[in-house]
Amino acid sequence: MTTSLVVVESHWGNTERIAQAIAAGLRTAGDARVVRVDDAPTCLDGIDLLVIGAPTHAFSLSRPETRADAIVKGAGVPSATGIREWMARIEADARRLQVATFDTKATQVRGLPGSAAAAARRVAKSAGLPLTQRPTSFYVEGYAGPLVEGECERAEQWGRALVSATVVMA
């Protein structure tokens, strides 16, 4: 049985919907919960798999300026804290768990460089956190969404695959 935590930064709700779908896939092999980055713990005792998700802002993880810009562009309830800032506060004992990263990106930037998931992966790697697989992107229509059809189903499948990879690595 795997205990998973999905920490998500979301501004229009699309990344949070993907996080919920991933957690549904993770629950096929154990406990999984989703927390917004503003409420995420920095002590990860008892967590086997940490899944980190964020929207791609300016081809990377958000910064205070890009979060402020999201509000100007009509974001609903944006996260006050970014994934980058939260990851800097994770306690050292987290190095024993497996980590996977995902992001949401607008369809019109497919193929362009830059990804919040890749940036989160780099931050995790530099902190010594063990990674389970390559970063994964899920797509939204335009800047604010909605999600591209089928992305929630793909996210749930990805969650099931993450659990399989973690069980094999444990």
Side-chain angles (χ1 to χ4, degrees):
M1 182 173 227
T2 303
T3 301
S4 303
L5 178 66
V6 182
V7 176
V8 63
E9 176 183 344
S10 190
H11 301 276
W12 281 273
N14 298 303
T15 312
E16 193 160 357
R17 281 190 285 284
I18 292 294
Q20 293 293 346
I22 291 168
L26 294 170
R27 286 186 193 107
T28 61
D31 181 46
R33 65 187 176 105
V34 176
V35 296
R36 289 183 59 93
V37 67
D38 295 328
D39 302 318
T42 55
C43 177
L44 301 172
D45 288 341
I47 304 297
D48 302 308
L49 173 62
L50 173 64
V51 181
I52 301 168
T56 299
H57 281 224
F59 305 107
S60 189
L61 288 167
S62 75
R63 297 188 182 279
E65 307 80 37
T66 63
R67 290 192 295 275
D69 187 50
I71 292 169
V72 170
K73 291 180 178 175
V77 183
S79 300
T81 301
I83 289 291
R84 182 189 321 265
E85 294 90 350
W86 172 75
M87 288 179 73
R89 296 190 313 260
I90 294 175
E91 294 180 11
D93 67 338
R95 286 167 179 63
R96 60 171 171 54
L97 50 82
Q98 297 294 307
V99 179
T101 62
F102 75 94
D103 64 22
T104 52
K105 297 171 92 169
T107 55
Q108 66 261 35
V109 296
R110 251 185 230 232
L112 289 177
S115 157
R121 183 180 199 277
R122 284 189 299 277
V123 173
K125 188 174 180 181
S126 69
L129 298 173
L131 299 152
T132 62
Q133 61 184 260
R134 300 176 73 183
T136 299
S137 294
F138 298 92
Y139 294 94
V140 298
E141 299 287 348
Y143 192 75
L147 290 165
V148 169
E149 188 175 328
E151 289 299 82
C152 283
E153 292 80 8
R154 189 167 71 90
E156 188 171 338
Q157 291 171 353
W158 190 68
R160 285 193 300 271
L162 284 176
V163 170
S164 296
T166 303
V167 170
V168 168
M169 296 177 87

